Amino acid sequence: MKVEIWSDVMCPFCYIGKRHFEQALEKLPFKKEIEIDWKSFQLNPEYQNTNNETVYDYLSRSKGMPIEQAKQMTRQVADMAANAGLTLDFDTSIPANTFNAHRLIHLAAKHDLQDLAEEKLFEAHFLKGRNIGENDVLIDLAVEMGLDKDEVTAVLNGNEFAEAVRYDIYESQNLGIRGVPYFVMDRKYGISGAQPVQAFTDALTQSFNEWKAAQPKTILTSLNNNNDAVCDENGCEI
């Protein structure tokens, strides 16, 4: 069963939601039958950090709040993240335009490294204070995850996967998704936000059971009249 996850790698709730989703999935007996497809979403597609803004500057300006209120808000988010086993360092996080980061994720998907790319980008932004809006940083991260440096450089210096990113965003608009993270299960059910682990467990279980029940059953018609010369759990007979 496919689960599509719309996310932006500058969104702390997307990182927390990712971890809660993973913790839920790990407990489920059908986890190997779940296919995960990360989808691009940009919270602020026009943003460019040209003035060395901090996260607190960005929140203060964009939300019209005092710096101290912005710091208090991020402390609350950091506490929520800690409960999910994550350490978020908002003091060093650098606000950035994430369009090229999303293009990198699409490239990583081509090499079956999409989930690793998401994790590396979240970690770089929230834990290591790296500017994921800079191509040099993205190239370093890509090499760390095992991608070819020349291929990554060529992609980031060109326009490859730009339309894929835009199409993901177009899809989200058609589905009525206005915020992230947003988890779509079998294109039938949606769950928004960094929900508790149990909420993901329940949603995955319900979606999977319905998906499994809808799968066509294959029943074979035997063309021979006996079972001579076969082996089964009781051994082999001739």
Side-chain angles (χ1 to χ4, degrees):
M1 183 187 79
K2 179 179 281 190
V3 177
E4 298 160 292
I5 308 172
W6 271 266
S7 167
D8 194 358
V9 287
M10 206 175 76
C11 164
F13 295 118
C14 292
Y15 198 9
I16 297 168
K18 179 179 188 293
R19 196 59 88 244
H20 284 174
F21 176 84
E22 291 167 342
Q23 290 168 357
L25 187 59
E26 186 59 32
K27 301 175 183 177
L28 297 173
F30 51 81
K31 63 182 179 181
K32 292 184 179 179
E33 295 186 69
I34 301 298
E35 175 191 352
I36 299 170
D37 186 12
W38 289 93
K39 298 284 193 175
S40 305
F41 191 98
Q42 283 196 283
L43 294 170
N44 192 344
E46 306 303 321
Y47 180 74
Q48 297 294 335
N49 192 347
T50 56
N51 298 313
N52 295 317
E53 274 193 319
T54 66
V55 168
Y56 310 125
D57 295 331
Y58 172 73
L59 291 173
S60 176
R61 178 181 56 79
S62 62
K63 295 185 178 295
M65 63 173 63
I67 290 286
E68 188 50 48
Q69 185 180 348
K71 289 183 177 181
Q72 176 60 33
M73 185 172 71
T74 56
R75 281 194 291 270
Q76 292 171 349
V77 176
D79 289 343
M80 181 179 176
N83 290 330
L86 296 171
T87 302
L88 305 190
D89 187 354
F90 288 103
D91 288 343
T92 61
S93 292
I94 302 170
N97 186 290
T98 57
F99 190 80
N100 282 342
H102 285 296
R103 290 205 296 135
L104 174 59
I105 293 167
H106 276 277
L107 172 61
K110 175 182 169 184
H111 296 278
D112 296 321
L113 293 170
Q114 190 186 39
D115 193 73
L116 178 61
E118 287 280 342
E119 188 68 27
K120 283 280 189 183
L121 285 160
F122 279 130
E123 183 182 86
H125 178 67
F126 286 109
L127 277 71
K128 297 185 176 179
R130 305 185 74 178
N131 188 345
I132 58 173
E134 293 182 351
N135 281 0
D136 287 347
V137 171
L138 295 177
I139 291 168
D140 287 345
L141 293 173
V143 171
E144 287 176 20
M145 68 181 77
L147 293 176
D148 179 75
K149 183 176 182 178
D150 290 340
E151 181 183 17
V152 176
T153 302
V155 166
L156 293 177
N157 287 338
N159 293 311
E160 193 172 359
F161 300 112
E163 282 306 310
V165 173
R166 294 188 184 103
Y167 186 76
D168 282 352
I169 295 170
Y170 168 77
E171 268 195 305
S172 73
Q173 293 167 347
N174 280 350
L175 290 169
I177 297 170
R178 297 292 178 262
V180 288
Y182 201 96
F183 301 76
V184 176
M185 302 176 189
D186 194 31
R187 282 294 169 107
K188 188 175 181 180
Y189 296 113
I191 183 169
S192 64
Q195 296 292 328
V197 173
Q198 190 59 50
F200 284 115
T201 301
D202 294 344
L204 281 165
T205 300
Q206 179 180 342
S207 301
F208 180 81
N209 287 341
E210 292 182 15
W211 171 82
K212 195 72 172 177
Q215 299 311 298
K217 305 294 190 296
T218 301
I219 301 175
L220 301 178
T221 300
S222 179
L223 296 178
N224 61 310
N225 296 322
N226 54 52
N227 291 324
D228 289 345
V230 297
C231 296
D232 59 22
E233 65 272 15
N234 298 315
C236 300
E237 296 183 6
I238 298 177

